[in-house]
Amino acid sequence: MNIEKRALLDHAQRCRRVADDLAHRDAARRLRAMADVYEARAAQLADEDGSSKPDRHERSRLADTGDRQN
């Protein structure tokens, strides 16, 4: 498993773990949504051509989508 995919899955796991411990339902819901995005990105990496490193344009696109969470 490549480094980027492992990092995304680790972030997703952390988000879910924290969400499970929160009493604030809206914050927990947002963290779970973030986890879903991280897992989708990891799956997208797996679906790509097998390259262990996304190209420059892909890294930029992935970085831009992270700031769009509500």
Side-chain angles (χ1 to χ4, degrees), residues 52-64:
S52 64
K53 292 171 63 174
D55 68 13
R56 180 173 53 96
H57 299 294
E58 180 69 12
R59 286 192 306 266
S60 176
R61 189 184 62 75
L62 289 173
D64 289 343

Side-chain angles (χ1 to χ4, degrees), residues 33-53:
M34 288 172 60
D36 290 342
V37 170
Y38 286 134
E39 289 170 344
R41 288 182 189 173
Q44 189 176 27
L45 285 177
D47 291 340
E48 290 179 356
D49 62 353
S51 171
S52 64
K53 292 171 63 174

